[in-house]
Amino acid sequence: LFRSLAALQLQPTLVSAANNLGNAFMAMGRQDDAATYFRLALSADPNHANALTCLGGLLFEMGQDGEALELLEHAVARHPQNFNAHVLLVQAYERADRRDDADRHLAIAAKLKPDDANVTNNLGTRILNSGRAAEAVTQIARAVALDPTAATLHSNLVLSRLYLPDLSAADHLSEARVWNDRHGKPRAGKLPAPTNTRDPERVLRVGYVSADFYRHPVGFFMKDRKSTRLNSSHSQQSRM
């Protein structure tokens, strides 16, 4: 960090130093400082692959989607093999509800790195959403084979198998048990013990915590239930 700062003081247009500082500040969570140095790098070299990609990804995280898309599209236009930029474009176009563009960049990313577990899983998920369940399960199972330690990928496999009409309840239970043996049991001992009392007459506090409340259908299922809870009298208490 200090060497890069010293180098920039001697030569303000030194692209590598500005880019390195951008990377360092991004790793430290200092987004504004990181963006400043990535912009400095791009002012000296507008086609710098890492600066374009990192600044695009950073602005996407900061909610500046328009400029992020411009930078990332420029990145892949100048560097078509830029895997990370294609992956970021998938996320950016998803958020912009431009599904065709997201699919296009996902397909490119899958060709660039066919053995990337996350991209393989995402491709399988897109196939599942199009109704091709058998093909999707094959793709997601391949993702799990590429990274057997990834609990989320294996969860997607358990879910996607539910769409196969030829599998029985016993088949689904068997795969769920495989997931539990691989991901659940090893974590069981690391979970903190509950601190609540076992008194059956205690006041029951109900909370809803889920990432699915944002865009997943589960959020819509819960909407009326949450509204009822929020609008109920504070003087009411639910008991077990």
Side-chain angles (χ1 to χ4, degrees), residues 41-114:
L42 291 173
S43 68
D45 180 4
N47 298 318
H48 192 279
N50 185 76
L52 283 168
T53 305
C54 289
L55 182 57
L58 195 60
L59 293 178
F60 176 70
E61 289 183 8
M62 297 168 70
Q64 301 177 36
D65 294 13
E67 187 179 0
L69 279 170
E70 290 179 8
L71 288 165
L72 293 170
E73 281 291 4
H74 183 58
V76 298
R78 300 298 299 180
H79 309 280
Q81 306 300 307
N82 190 332
F83 172 80
N84 290 331
H86 284 293
V87 170
L88 286 168
L89 278 168
V90 174
Q91 300 174 31
Y93 280 129
E94 273 284 348
R95 194 152 80 185
D97 288 326
R98 294 171 56 177
R99 302 299 175 86
D100 290 342
D101 289 320
D103 287 343
R104 175 167 54 87
H105 287 285
L106 180 58
I108 295 171
K111 288 182 180 179
L112 290 174
K113 288 192 177 182

Side-chain angles (χ1 to χ4, degrees), residues 12 14 18 31 49 55 85 105 125 161 182 193 196 233:
L14 190 61
Q31 294 180 321
L55 182 57
H105 287 285
T125 301
R161 285 166 54 92
R182 187 180 298 173
N196 58 296
S233 171

Side-chain angles (χ1 to χ4, degrees), residues 31-205:
Q31 294 180 321
D32 291 336
D33 290 326
T36 295
Y37 284 102
F38 285 134
R39 291 189 190 280
L40 181 58
L42 291 173
S43 68
D45 180 4
N47 298 318
H48 192 279
N50 185 76
L52 283 168
T53 305
C54 289
L55 182 57
L58 195 60
L59 293 178
F60 176 70
E61 289 183 8
M62 297 168 70
Q64 301 177 36
D65 294 13
E67 187 179 0
L69 279 170
E70 290 179 8
L71 288 165
L72 293 170
E73 281 291 4
H74 183 58
V76 298
R78 300 298 299 180
H79 309 280
Q81 306 300 307
N82 190 332
F83 172 80
N84 290 331
H86 284 293
V87 170
L88 286 168
L89 278 168
V90 174
Q91 300 174 31
Y93 280 129
E94 273 284 348
R95 194 152 80 185
D97 288 326
R98 294 171 56 177
R99 302 299 175 86
D100 290 342
D101 289 320
D103 287 343
R104 175 167 54 87
H105 287 285
L106 180 58
I108 295 171
K111 288 182 180 179
L112 290 174
K113 288 192 177 182
D115 291 335
D116 184 278
N118 287 320
V119 169
T120 302
N121 171 72
N122 290 344
L123 192 57
T125 301
R126 311 290 289 215
I127 295 172
L128 183 64
N129 290 340
S130 70
R132 292 142 52 201
E135 185 181 347
V137 168
T138 299
Q139 191 79 4
I140 297 172
R142 182 171 173 272
V144 173
L146 289 168
D147 188 0
T149 65
T152 301
L153 303 189
H154 200 165
S155 293
N156 286 344
L157 178 61
V158 173
L159 171 65
S160 63
R161 285 166 54 92
L162 295 174
Y163 292 90
L164 297 180
D166 294 336
L167 294 184
S168 66
D171 293 325
H172 297 313
L173 178 60
S174 176
E175 188 63 35
R177 282 174 170 162
V178 172
W179 187 98
N180 188 51
D181 289 340
R182 187 180 298 173
H183 309 291
K185 290 181 179 179
R187 291 172 169 81
K190 301 177 183 179
L191 297 175
T195 59
N196 58 296
T197 175
R198 297 179 66 86
D199 179 5
E201 296 301 318
R202 73 184 187 276
V203 174
L204 178 64
R205 178 177 295 176

